Amino acid sequence: MATQWAVSVSPHVRKGTTTSQIMWTVSASLIPVMLLSIYNFGLRALFITLASVISCVVVEAISQKALGRPVSSKDGSAVLTGILMAFVIPPGVPYWLPAIGAVAAIFINKELMGGLGFNVWNPALVGRALLTASFPVYMTAAWIPSRAVSNVPIDQYVWGGLDAVSTATPLYVLRHYGFEALTQQFGSIGTIYQNFFVGFKPGCIGETSGVLILLGGLFLLLRGIITWHIPVSTIASVAVMSWIFGGNTWFSGDPLVHVLSGGVMLGAFYMATDYVTSPTVKPGQIVFGIGVGVLTVLIRLKGGYPEGVCYAILLMNCLTPALDEWFKPKRFAPPKQAPVMATK
Amino acid sequence: MAGVTFAKGGVHPAEHKELTEHLAIEEMPPPAEVALPLSMHFGAPAKAVVQKKQEVQEGDVVATVEKGLGATIHSSVTGTVKAIEPRPHPTMVRCDAIIIERDPAAPPRVYEPVDWLKLSGEQLLARVKEAGIVGLGGAGFPTHVKLSPPPTAKVDTLILNGAECEPYLTTDHRLMVEMPQKVVEGAKVLLKILGIREAVIGIELNKPDAINAMNKAAEAASGSDATIRVQGMTVKYPQGSEKQLIYALTGRSVPGGGLPFDVGVIVQNISTTLAVFEAATLNKPLYEKVVTFSGRGIKRQANLKVKVGTVLSDVVNYLGGTTPDLLKIVSGGPMMGFAISTLDVPIVKTSSGVLFLDKTETDVSPHGPCIHCGWCIEACPMGLQPKEVAIYVEAGKGHLTEKFGVFDCFECGCCAFVCPARRPLVQFARLAKMAIKRGR
Ligand code: SF4
Ligand code: SF4
């Protein structure tokens, strides 16, 4: 028999899930959010997302070629970064904007650091942070009112100028004019809960719908791709912090408005859970989530921006290696004497 | 019966036991020629005590170990020594082997039963040593050494390992179903050698028929001199690995670098216990064993009783050949076994199974970078951080990984099994251990 059989090291069987399956599953779980966004903000939401995905894939391929690495577009990680980056920028930005974000997210933040797995910060959020710093006008004003509450034809914003469409996000209103103004602009508190939960409000492309993000997150939980630790600790600490400090007096804030506004839901389920940039062990993940929640509310209430999720996660990303070290797993039956530490 | 289990980690690979678990043990006719490697135990290779052209009887000693760790080797057929030459080996690439051509006219050797109850513990231990018995589940540690703990150790429990947690393998399962009395009798021999009276047989709950059969046999055999009981265990890999098994059955943890007798336990697997039974009650040495041949890459799957030294190609012919989709041949279980590249390797004492995996069953795709999912950490039964070790090794810093406890890693493969990036984490752990020993 001349056949040569495969010879490789044990184990010879593997669990089904692969890196690329994870990336594609996470991407697919965001399709409902995308559809609602198209309904909300018109086809522009889709085109901005496509622009972001294409830029991320192209930037990744070019950087990998330039750095002499195999091109890994098929693993889906650049596609996912593209989707997530688009989901945290306003729908009214110009079409070329995501390309600049992609350079920061993929080339500088990921490939220059050594490629997938070596980046310290969440790529999509690095993209958003750079865009916010460099193009503050677009990033803080290019909002589009939800079609569900403003009766604008679906394609109004596809090619149109941006000046006409500006509106303010709930968080902006809350930050600068207070809770009263919020109810004046977005309806009674019941209407607010309802519209925010479903997603009918101005906001970033993929951040508006609490319910669809929750469904996508639950799907990922069921598939075993994420666990509850980070999302629950993040959302719970945002709720508690905003209840305590978010009102005019102590313990009078509205936790639900805070949780359903801005990027908390998307951040908790999709950004803070990014494997590469979050802790690998459960207790570390809970501390990480609490950190994200606390920093988010702190930035919202005291910082210079109406929204804090992006920076909260990026800050906690820096702590990930430390959290992994502090909460490293307890070994089963280690040797009685401590091993001699290697010194160099 | 509720299952007991180990402390942390573990995985649930697809079992694939349905391929062979209901197939009765079948005796393969002896082959025309056997190849007996001089190394099929833990320790130094044995020394041949026969010469080319010499005639040997089935059961005759053909190689011995004079000093140090090792085990005697017996001829598995009656015939003539044809050569002593290097041959492929399932785990060592190549190794000197005694080649014996069988005399087709010679009848099989018959062993008369002896009354082992008359023998003392020492005499029984000597029998085990003479019979060349080694741990048949794993590395082949000589059983007589394992049964002689230092006098300082206070051994109070014998554990029979019937977990058989590796996918595909069903030899111990079939032995427990088909000859439970023999296994239990073997346990009593072991108890006598150790001078203790408590034995626990741990069996995973996916083998209810084995649990049943063993329960009956154990009850019948328990009495004033021995208490033997069966304990069901959760189906989870690596339930049958020594430290995990001991924890599950007794709640005791063997510290890193320690041995089971440090916590008062001796573990033997089912096949080994059966070999002890045959040595004690028939004075028969170990030269035959039941091996599972499975996987979808072979025409017919079976639990075969084969002569040690039977060359794999003879088994394959006996089972009707391989299928065109065969992708990988593994000696042992799919989690810890070795891939082999040739059918010229013989069945050795430690062979528990040979798997013929086709492309639906095994995965040889290349690995990618670590994405820090942490699944390997969660899966590791020793609470290690396989991903860190791997990253150090990749960066050429394998010698600095002792702080991660790599020496506790027993290469169970749970970490690599779950890794979505398909990283060869077991290989990285091996390289790390080598680097530490080398010091760079
Ligand atoms: S092979 Fe080693 S590191 Fe991997 S899970 Fe098993 S014991 Fe842990
Ligand atoms: S399972 Fe693989 S990808 Fe995940 S942390 Fe471990 S080594 Fe990295």
Side-chain angles (χ1 to χ4, degrees), chain B residues 154-159 187-188 190-199 225-227 264-266:
Chain B
K154 294 202 172 31
V155 174
D156 58 11
T157 309
L158 167 70
I159 290 180
K188 290 179 88 171
L190 291 168
L191 287 176
K192 183 154 185 184
I193 293 175
L194 292 167
I196 59 172
R197 44 164 300 142
E198 294 280 330
D225 54 338
T227 319
V265 175
I266 300 280

Side-chain angles (χ1 to χ4, degrees), chain B residues 34-270:
Chain B
V34 293
L36 299 165
L38 293 173
S39 207
M40 40 182 167
H41 49 250
F42 187 91
K47 257 214 185 79
V49 294
V50 290
Q51 268 124 46
K52 214 171 143 175
K53 300 226 172 79
Q54 188 174 330
E55 297 204 338
V56 292
Q57 297 284 311
E58 178 179 336
D60 281 358
V61 173
V62 292
T64 56
V65 172
E66 270 141 39
K67 52 175 192 275
L69 274 180
T72 308
I73 296 170
H74 303 77
S75 176
S76 53
V77 292
T78 297
T80 318
V81 177
K82 202 170 100 181
I84 301 176
E85 60 184 28
R87 283 290 177 100
H89 186 284
T91 57
M92 303 173 52
V93 187
R94 282 181 102 72
C95 166
D96 273 342
I98 304 174
I99 317 300
I100 302 170
E101 202 171 28
R102 187 172 68 92
D103 170 7
R109 178 153 176 186
V110 182
Y111 291 90
E112 295 299 328
V114 289
D115 184 7
W116 68 271
L117 289 171
K118 293 216 184 81
L119 301 176
S120 71
E122 280 103 71
Q123 285 169 316
L124 288 168
L125 185 64
R127 285 252 171 118
V128 169
K129 184 175 181 190
E130 283 156 23
I133 299 176
V134 300
L136 298 184
F141 196 82
T143 301
H144 65 276
V145 180
K146 209 171 169 183
L147 290 175
S148 324
T152 48
K154 294 202 172 31
V155 174
D156 58 11
T157 309
L158 167 70
I159 290 180
L160 292 203
N161 184 358
E164 203 161 52
C165 58
E166 276 266 15
Y168 290 95
L169 304 186
T170 54
T171 47
D172 288 350
H173 183 178
R174 288 314 302 177
L175 291 175
M176 289 189 287
V177 170
E178 294 182 35
M179 41 196 87
Q181 291 86 1
K182 292 184 183 176
V183 175
V184 168
E185 185 108 354
K188 290 179 88 171
V189 175
L190 291 168
L191 287 176
K192 183 154 185 184
I193 293 175
L194 292 167
I196 59 172
R197 44 164 300 142
E198 294 280 330
V200 191
I201 307 171
I203 306 174
E204 275 193 353
L205 292 172
N206 57 357
K207 304 181 245 303
D209 47 350
I211 293 181
N212 242 327
M214 291 304 293
N215 243 333
K216 280 198 198 113
E219 261 167 45
S222 290
S224 55
D225 54 338
T227 319
I228 303 176
R229 67 187 177 86
V230 174
Q231 175 65 56
M233 296 191 289
T234 308
V235 182
K236 192 179 188 187
Y237 179 88
Q239 195 70 264
S241 111
E242 220 162 47
K243 288 183 181 181
Q244 277 59 36
L245 182 78
I246 292 171
Y247 181 85
L249 293 174
T250 67
R252 304 177 194 175
S253 321
V254 182
L259 288 168
F261 64 65
D262 291 334
V263 297
V265 175
I266 300 280
V267 182
Q268 296 292 347
N269 92 343
I270 299 294

Side-chain angles (χ1 to χ4, degrees), chain A residues 19 275 280, chain B residues 368-377 386-388 390-391 415-416 418-423 425:
Chain A
T19 302
Y275 289 149
T280 48
Chain B
C370 171
I371 57 168
H372 297 241
C373 59
W375 294 357
C376 53
I377 297 175
K387 85 179 224 292
E388 294 294 335
I391 287 169
C415 50
V418 296
C419 177
R422 296 287 182 260
R423 289 167 68 73
L425 296 170

Side-chain angles (χ1 to χ4, degrees), chain B residues 333-418:
Chain B
M335 295 296 289
M336 291 182 78
F338 290 81
I340 51 183
S341 58
T342 160
L343 290 177
D344 295 335
V345 300
I347 300 297
V348 294
K349 290 179 184 176
T350 51
S351 306
S352 47
V354 180
L355 308 180
F356 300 80
L357 304 177
D358 76 7
K359 45 188 178 231
T360 64
E361 299 173 281
T362 187
D363 179 351
V364 291
S365 56
H367 74 88
C370 171
I371 57 168
H372 297 241
C373 59
W375 294 357
C376 53
I377 297 175
E378 206 126 293
C380 179
M382 300 307 290
L384 307 179
Q385 303 170 76
K387 85 179 224 292
E388 294 294 335
V389 173
I391 287 169
Y392 270 61
V393 171
E394 271 185 328
K397 295 195 162 58
H399 56 294
L400 300 182
T401 55
E402 193 162 359
K403 61 181 175 193
F404 297 115
V406 268
F407 284 113
D408 280 358
C409 166
F410 61 106
E411 303 176 8
C412 66
C414 289
C415 50
F417 173 78
V418 296

